[in-house]
Amino acid sequence: MKKLSYLLAFLILGSCTSNTIFEKPTDLISKDTMSLLVQEMMIASSATYIKNKNMERNMNYMPLVYERFQIDSVRFQTSNLYYISKIDEYKLIFEDAKNSLKKQKAYFDNIKNTKDSLRLDSIKRNKELKKDLDSVRKAIKLIDSIPKKIKN
């Protein structure tokens, strides 16, 4: 009896796999656009708790992403649900988005490093100029401290 109950439980669990593939929506977002959309959504969701230029936090940037791609949340959800049912395509979309974000990060890190090095160079140059200026001031003080009789 115990073996029969294990067999029955195994058959029930084995038959519960869902291979549901939804119908392709009429207004399906293309894979390339979906990848770009996912990138923008990741950036928007990570920027939620960062202060913007008006020093505001907890901003919801998702409506701006939808507006940029001229879609609404319903169209995104139907396309997202369709791609979720095709997990291989969905995985490729996310890998493409991840790779593009890595390239963008490397690009902006390079710009940041360049700006930092330029800033450090200018600070170093200013320190050198200040040293030169200080030595000129010392020389002027020294010249001014020489009595007038000796100067003539």
Side-chain angles (χ1 to χ4, degrees):
M1 185 70 177
K2 197 173 191 181
K3 289 181 182 180
L4 184 61
S5 63
Y6 282 129
L7 180 63
L8 187 58
F10 179 73
L11 288 175
I12 290 172
L13 289 175
S15 65
C16 289
T17 60
S18 175
N19 291 331
T20 307
I21 295 179
F22 295 100
E23 280 188 34
K24 188 174 185 177
T26 56
D27 58 349
L28 181 68
I29 300 170
S30 69
K31 291 178 192 176
D32 296 334
T33 307
M34 192 71 168
S35 176
L36 292 172
L37 184 60
V38 167
Q39 288 176 44
E40 293 294 324
M41 292 176 99
M42 286 180 185
I43 292 170
S45 66
S46 64
T48 300
Y49 300 104
I50 305 293
K51 288 182 183 176
N52 61 12
K53 68 181 181 180
N54 298 328
M55 298 301 195
E56 299 170 333
R57 287 186 188 207
N58 297 330
M59 298 293 296
N60 184 10
Y61 295 107
M62 288 303 171
L64 298 174
V65 174
Y66 293 141
E67 183 180 313
R68 179 175 179 194
F69 287 91
Q70 298 175 350
I71 62 170
D72 58 355
S73 60
V74 174
R75 182 174 176 203
F76 171 74
Q77 286 184 354
T78 56
S79 296
N80 195 37
L81 190 62
Y82 173 74
Y83 286 123
I84 286 174
S85 70
K86 294 186 167 201
I87 196 69
D88 294 333
E89 290 181 25
Y90 200 62
K91 185 177 178 183
L92 290 175
I93 289 169
F94 272 86
E95 285 176 359
D96 184 41
K98 181 180 170 183
N99 292 335
S100 294
L101 286 171
K102 282 182 179 180
K103 287 179 187 176
Q104 287 180 15
K105 184 181 182 317
Y107 173 76
F108 287 115
D109 284 346
N110 186 23
I111 290 174
K112 181 183 179 289
N113 291 338
T114 303
K115 284 184 177 182
D116 287 347
S117 67
L118 290 174
R119 186 178 63 81
L120 290 175
D121 287 345
S122 67
I123 290 172
K124 184 179 177 183
R125 193 171 334 128
N126 283 341
K127 285 181 179 179
E128 290 171 359
L129 288 174
K130 187 177 179 186
K131 282 182 184 178
D132 292 343
L133 184 61
D134 288 344
S135 63
V136 169
R137 286 181 182 159
K138 285 180 183 178
I140 291 173
K141 264 187 181 179
L142 185 65
I143 292 173
D144 287 344
S145 68
I146 299 175
K148 290 186 179 181
K149 291 179 185 177
I150 298 175
K151 285 184 189 178
N152 293 332

